[in-house]
Amino acid sequence: VLKSPLGDFTTKAQNFALGKTVTGTFSGATANITINALVDGSLKDVYSSGSIFDKDQDVVIDLGSELSISSVVVFWHRLSYSKDYALQGSVDGEKWATLAEHIDASQALEGRSAGSTGGSPMKVVGTKFTPKIIRYLKVLILKDSAFYHKHSIWNFVNIFEIKVF
């Protein structure tokens, strides 16, 4: 359970992404943190995309088998987040269908992670859509799309965790 002045971020539903394999353009702040930690159930570590000005940025989660999903929660860092991203699903990892698009994390609930003193600031975005059977979930940030960054030299976005229901 993640505590916030706005309420608790929790669910009784099974997180289908927990412990699954992740690929994509994001990386951890230190060499010993792998991208798979984006689905480890912890809000401790943050992962950065590559440059949004260079190419599309994404996180792809292999759920291990085909599942019916209808909701995704992305825990963005409040200092650098997407203001226009999409969720896509696929059964084969090649043909992608849009589950939701033009999602703006600036409209999200705010909370704090458990990783640093006082917790790092977050934007918690829960997106619901018509149930879809997929094996792969993609969080997609298109090249040159709108994003918020605290410092003018930042050209990336940050995510703590992704949950799939």
Side-chain angles (χ1 to χ4, degrees):
V1 176
L2 173 66
K3 300 289 184 185
S4 161
L6 298 174
D8 295 346
F9 300 111
T10 187
T11 180
K12 292 181 180 181
Q14 177 183 358
N15 174 9
F16 295 126
L18 187 62
K20 300 302 184 198
T21 301
V22 182
T23 57
T25 61
F26 281 64
S27 61
T30 60
N32 63 340
I33 300 173
T34 70
I35 193 170
N36 284 333
L38 275 170
V39 294
D40 67 358
S42 166
L43 298 172
K44 187 176 83 161
D45 299 309
V46 68
Y47 307 85
S48 299
S49 71
S51 171
I52 289 179
F53 302 123
D54 289 344
K55 65 178 186 174
D56 294 352
Q57 301 297 315
D58 64 17
V59 172
V60 177
I61 303 168
D62 180 349
L63 300 173
S65 63
E66 292 182 12
L67 301 166
S68 177
I69 70 162
S70 61
S71 179
V72 174
V73 181
V74 180
F75 296 80
W76 295 95
H77 196 290
R78 193 174 74 199
L79 303 181
S80 182
Y81 55 84
S82 177
K83 294 174 82 176
D84 185 13
Y85 69 98
L87 299 173
Q88 296 183 332
S90 173
V91 293
D92 60 9
E94 294 180 19
K95 296 178 197 162
W96 296 91
T98 300
L99 305 172
E101 60 187 342
H102 303 299
I103 307 164
D104 182 354
S106 67
Q107 305 301 312
L109 296 174
E110 294 191 4
R112 296 248 171 210
S113 73
S116 60
T117 305
S120 296
M122 294 188 311
K123 292 278 193 177
V124 182
V125 183
T127 305
K128 293 182 185 267
F129 43 85
T130 302
K132 183 85 172 171
I133 295 175
I134 65 168
R135 175 175 174 166
Y136 300 91
L137 174 82
K138 182 187 291 187
V139 177
L140 176 64
I141 303 103
L142 294 175
K143 179 182 181 227
D144 297 325
S145 63
F147 71 104
Y148 170 81
H149 52 87
K150 171 126 174 107
H151 304 289
S152 61
I153 59 169
W154 289 4
N155 59 0
F156 54 86
V157 294
N158 291 318
I159 297 176
F160 284 100
E161 187 79 9
I162 301 169
K163 296 184 178 184
V164 179
F165 306 100

